[in-house]
Amino acid sequence: GDCNFSLVQFDSQGMESQIEWLMESKSLISVDALPTFTPRGGTPLYDALGDTITRVGARLRALPEESRPERVVFVIITDGQENSSQKFRRAEIADKIRHQTETYNWDFLYLGANVDAYAEAQSIGIPTRSARNYMADTVGVKGMYAASNSVLSNVRAGGTADFVDSKDTN
């Protein structure tokens, strides 16, 4: 079936959160390659999640019911712990994730380097089976993308969005 892909990059420079939409609801078959990411500044993870969940939710609400996707999977990839959000707090993000999960059956995956991905995911309402650590090096990032690909292929085949059968990418 059809699969659309959105990509959001986030960081901060000084006190200002920067959330940049690199792709929005682009057909997966038309995505040639992902851009190169260069970590910089702080990690406004909650602001990025809050804004992205809100924007995707509004876009989907505007679609006719028959045009809405059967599944929505958020893949959160971060190289650091939340440290610079200005608009959203942990409890608000946990509420948003809980609402989208319980009301619309959205799935959330959390992949983190330089953090305890399991604890961070759990703190915002993402089950540990949907979280993985990865090393912030070439081998670790390749492993993280491979594990994500495996989970997303499973979702597209009608399965669950979790890492139960995959290995940690450390």
Side-chain angles (χ1 to χ4, degrees):
D2 295 332
C3 182
N4 291 332
F5 179 78
S6 295
L7 182 61
V8 179
Q9 178 175 295
F10 62 94
D11 59 25
S12 70
Q13 294 294 316
M15 294 299 291
E16 189 70 26
S17 290
Q18 309 235 341
I19 300 166
E20 181 182 5
W21 284 76
L22 303 176
M23 294 179 207
E24 187 167 7
S25 194
K26 186 173 181 176
S27 174
L28 188 60
I29 60 172
S30 68
V31 175
D32 294 326
L34 296 178
T36 300
F37 297 101
T38 304
R40 57 182 194 247
T43 305
L45 180 63
Y46 301 153
D47 286 355
L49 286 171
D51 286 349
T52 303
I53 290 168
T54 299
R55 184 166 166 167
V56 170
R59 182 172 46 78
L60 295 178
R61 268 191 309 281
L63 293 174
E65 183 72 34
E66 65 275 3
S67 297
R68 293 179 188 163
E70 292 178 34
R71 300 278 301 261
V72 173
V73 181
F74 257 71
V75 181
I76 303 158
I77 302 171
T78 183
D79 69 341
Q81 191 169 28
E82 158 60 51
N83 62 17
S84 57
S85 288
Q86 301 295 313
K87 293 172 24 178
F88 293 95
R89 299 287 169 247
R90 180 188 316 259
E92 293 171 288
I93 296 307
D95 287 344
K96 282 182 170 292
I97 288 173
R98 184 174 25 264
H99 176 75
Q100 296 307 118
T101 301
E102 292 174 0
T103 305
Y104 301 108
N105 295 315
W106 288 16
D107 294 298
F108 289 83
L109 302 174
Y110 187 103
L111 298 129
N114 308 312
V115 297
D116 179 345
Y118 304 100
E120 292 299 315
Q122 198 168 33
S123 78
I124 57 174
I126 299 171
T128 57
R129 70 178 182 277
S130 297
R132 277 289 175 262
N133 289 308
Y134 72 94
M135 295 297 292
D137 61 21
T138 302
V139 172
V141 170
K142 282 183 181 181
M144 177 267 297
Y145 280 128
S148 299
N149 182 53
S150 177
V151 170
L152 294 171
S153 293
N154 189 49
V155 167
R156 293 199 66 208
T160 61
D162 58 46
F163 293 100
V164 171
D165 294 327
S166 67
K167 296 188 184 315
D168 212 56
T169 56
N170 277 328

